[in-house]
Amino acid sequence: MGNTGFVDADQVCHLVGAALSTVQNLCSGPLWTLQPEQLLTLGRELETLARTVYAAQVHLAGEIDTRGLAAARSCASTGALLRQAFNLSHATRSAGSKPPS
């Protein structure tokens, strides 16, 4: 079975809902039943999943930026729109870093 993405908004919502449900089931699963190597394999798979979700988020943010949604909604920037729309906090600066000029 090939990776075909999605064809419409209903399908993408279904895919995200199914993924969310699966991850929620993992959170409540009896990890104590897994052997040590199985735990490490699960950890590697979850890390791959997390990185793939992050890539999807970056792809989405790029599309939002390309379409100019921030300006259309009177937001100062795409970052500001994303923080507002997705209830995100500002990125924390590392110690010793200077704010942008």
Side-chain angles (χ1 to χ4, degrees):
M1 179 177 349
N3 184 1
T4 59
F6 59 89
V7 295
D8 59 27
D10 287 339
Q11 187 181 24
V12 75
C13 287
H14 173 76
L15 290 170
V16 170
L20 178 59
S21 177
T22 298
V23 172
Q24 288 170 333
N25 285 333
L26 288 171
C27 291
S28 61
L31 293 178
W32 62 269
T33 63
L34 300 179
Q35 298 298 315
E37 285 305 313
Q38 293 171 322
L39 287 170
L40 293 175
T41 298
L42 175 60
R44 285 188 289 272
E45 292 293 321
L46 285 175
E47 184 59 29
T48 300
L49 175 62
R51 292 177 187 204
T52 304
V53 168
Y54 179 74
Q57 290 172 314
V58 170
H59 184 59
L60 175 65
E63 185 65 23
I64 288 169
D65 186 57
T66 298
R67 291 194 191 187
L69 269 62
R73 286 166 173 72
S74 301
C75 287
S77 66
T78 298
L81 173 63
L82 296 177
R83 283 189 298 276
Q84 178 185 344
F86 304 151
N87 198 25
L88 304 173
S89 60
H90 285 277
T92 305
R93 286 186 284 134
S94 60
S97 67
K98 296 180 183 178
S101 305

